Amino acid sequence: MDATRRGSALVWATRPRSVDLRDNRVVTVRAARTSDVDALALMHGRCAPDTLYGRYQNAAPPVSRTWQRRLLSTELALVAFDRKRLVALANLSPRDGGSAELSVLVEDAFQGVGLGRALARQVAATARLLGYRRLVVMVVRSALAARNLLATIGPAVVVDGADGDPVAVLQLGMDVLGGLPDPDAVGTRQVAG
């Protein structure tokens, strides 16, 4: 992909948007900044161990500032804010063979109201625009809510992790991603200014 098209895709993906949640709250989604590191640490502190385990396959992920800055600087990192409080993080990270990894963490108090779905669809649509052929999502097998969320993007191939590994890898092909609607048309709107 040429640099101009890639830049345009990332500009589209990172422009601030308001997301209307099913419980009538509104959050703002924007590109992550390294200055969000303290807010990210606070969000991790508000997440239940099961929530952290579902995202990192570890209930006590490393919490160093270096590690958290890395989360905020993947190829695409989006954060959602409820007023001044960071409540969700979504990432797109390149992998081998033309694929990328999609990951989403939503604070417990904001789960089940459409925020994870909106973030996952925005990241998946961006992956399509960036030319990725496949999205990989690492999901704990028992994380039914996460698997249901991914089903809203489209059907996935489940590839079990290594022996004894509680992780399933969901592979979303670009045929699925090609059918995604523009996130602006699905419960989001661009924020003025």
Side-chain angles (χ1 to χ4, degrees):
M1 167 179 283
D2 69 56
T4 301
R5 184 171 174 212
R6 180 177 184 72
S8 295
L10 290 173
V11 166
W12 170 84
T14 59
R15 70 180 184 226
R17 291 176 169 80
S18 288
V19 177
D20 299 320
L21 304 179
R22 287 192 299 264
D23 63 0
N24 296 320
R25 289 182 285 183
V26 177
V27 297
T28 299
V29 175
R30 64 161 171 79
R33 304 175 188 134
T34 55
S35 61
D36 294 327
V37 69
D38 291 332
L40 181 62
L42 290 170
M43 183 191 77
H44 278 108
R46 291 188 302 268
C47 290
D50 287 350
T51 298
L52 296 173
Y53 186 77
R55 165 59 180 89
Y56 302 109
Q57 293 78 53
N58 183 345
V63 292
S64 72
R65 290 179 73 78
T66 301
W67 176 77
Q68 296 208 21
R69 276 192 193 101
R70 209 175 2 229
L71 288 174
L72 295 168
S73 59
T74 58
E75 179 173 27
L76 174 64
L78 299 174
V79 289
F81 278 86
D82 175 44
R83 297 183 187 93
K84 295 185 183 256
R85 187 174 89 178
L86 193 151
V87 297
L89 170 69
N91 298 91
L92 181 69
S93 304
R95 292 176 58 112
D96 295 334
S99 65
E101 183 173 345
L102 164 70
S103 57
V104 177
L105 175 65
V106 177
E107 179 180 317
D108 298 37
F110 285 80
Q111 292 179 11
V113 293
L115 180 55
R117 179 178 188 257
L119 288 169
R121 291 170 70 87
Q122 186 171 343
V123 172
T126 304
R128 183 190 70 220
L129 291 172
L130 291 173
Y132 287 107
R133 296 188 310 271
R134 186 172 57 126
L135 267 181
V136 176
V137 184
M138 304 296 281
V139 178
V140 176
R141 286 187 192 123
S142 62
L144 187 57
R147 292 174 93 159
N148 288 340
L149 178 146
L150 294 169
T152 68
I153 295 174
V157 174
V158 177
V159 179
D160 288 332
D163 282 344
D165 189 351
V167 175
V169 178
L170 285 84
Q171 298 181 23
L172 301 166
M174 280 301 123
D175 54 329
V176 169
L177 299 179
L180 282 175
D182 183 333
D184 288 336
V186 185
T188 66
R189 59 185 185 280
Q190 187 171 352
V191 175

